[in-house]
Amino acid sequence: MPRLTRKQRQAHTRECLMNSAAKMFAQRGLQQSSIEDLAEDAGFTKGAFYANFKNKEELFLAMLDERFAERVEEIEQVVAGEGTGPEKAARAGDDFAAMLRADPDWQRLFFEFSAYAARDEDFRQELVTRYRWLQDRVAAALKDLGDEFHMPDNIPSERIALMTCAMANGFALEKLLEGEAVPDELYGTMLMIFFAGLKSLAETQAAIG
């Protein structure tokens, strides 16, 4: 087996640390998870941790970057795929529900760090920067769907992206609290109703002239 390069070893170390962090943060929470325990669980020393991350917050942000990039890729694939606007909205909702099912601990972790951000201004700014990047990418995808969804002229795509993200967070919170009592298809249904309403508003505006 060929030896890994320095860059490959570092990437492997980062991946192991992030995997251990996801598990430990979900089990113990942020404050109760020590860097020493996290590094040990991943099979490394504290020195290896600090060679890759400044602190636990920076590690979480790296995890968030990966998750948001995956989410954007899923959305862009749906946009580029076959189907009508409502069908794509439902598919995007189904994909999000599937992501929650595949890793239920992640959303719990995201909400915990969101609460932590409300108490730490520096971390809040870092979190918001990434969240706005996600919303900007969603807005760009929505612009590509403008003809299919007939967006109202007086509502910017950035505002529509914000509303879809707010609905996603609300659905994820309900799912976290009530589990199977919240049907997986609910978010897709919410998106279909939402975009149907936007289309109706756009048609009304066009009729008024």
Side-chain angles (χ1 to χ4, degrees):
M1 182 175 179
R3 294 182 60 184
L4 298 178
T5 65
R6 183 177 182 278
K7 187 174 182 179
Q8 288 172 328
R9 289 198 304 272
Q10 183 177 28
H12 174 71
T13 301
R14 286 174 63 89
E15 182 180 2
C16 290
L17 288 168
M18 286 192 286
N19 288 340
S20 290
K23 177 178 60 178
M24 192 169 294
F25 288 162
Q27 292 173 347
R28 303 182 185 179
L30 171 65
Q31 301 299 333
Q32 286 71 40
S33 299
S34 72
I35 289 176
E36 184 174 5
D37 288 346
L38 194 157
E40 182 179 350
D41 182 78
F44 300 102
T45 64
K46 285 176 64 176
F49 179 95
Y50 286 115
N52 288 275
F53 302 105
K54 182 172 63 176
N55 49 39
K56 291 181 288 186
E57 291 84 354
E58 186 177 88
L59 186 153
F60 172 77
L61 291 171
M63 294 164 60
L64 190 66
D65 287 339
E66 287 192 355
R67 293 299 181 116
F68 278 4
E70 291 170 1
R71 183 74 187 123
V72 165
E73 184 177 352
E74 290 174 353
I75 293 171
E76 291 176 344
Q77 287 176 352
V78 169
V79 169
E82 300 294 328
T84 64
E87 289 172 342
K88 291 181 179 182
R91 196 178 310 136
D94 290 343
D95 286 347
F96 183 66
M99 183 192 74
L100 295 181
R101 282 198 311 273
D103 190 0
D105 287 338
W106 169 252
Q107 208 63 31
R108 185 185 305 117
L109 185 60
F110 178 77
F111 285 132
E112 177 176 354
F113 272 90
S114 296
Y116 176 76
R119 302 187 299 272
D120 187 299
E121 179 59 22
D122 290 340
F123 181 69
R124 186 191 70 81
Q125 291 180 9
E126 292 287 348
L127 186 60
V128 167
T129 296
R130 286 158 173 80
Y131 202 60
R132 285 179 178 167
W133 175 85
L134 172 65
Q135 291 175 6
D136 287 345
R137 295 295 296 270
V138 172
L142 290 174
K143 285 181 180 178
D144 292 338
L145 286 174
D147 293 338
E148 296 178 55
F149 282 118
H150 305 286
M151 304 292 186
D153 293 333
N154 63 335
I155 304 180
S157 58
E158 291 79 9
R159 185 61 58 86
I160 294 173
L162 174 59
M163 288 187 275
T164 61
C165 289
M167 284 189 286
N169 286 333
F171 168 72
L173 180 59
E174 295 295 333
K175 197 72 175 169
L176 179 64
L177 294 175
E178 299 198 59
E180 295 302 319
V182 179
D184 286 346
E185 66 271 14
L186 181 66
Y187 182 48
T189 302
M190 292 166 64
L191 288 177
M192 284 194 297
I193 294 172
F194 175 65
F195 284 109
L198 290 176
K199 179 180 179 182
S200 177
L201 180 59
E203 290 173 345
T204 299
Q205 290 176 344
I208 294 174

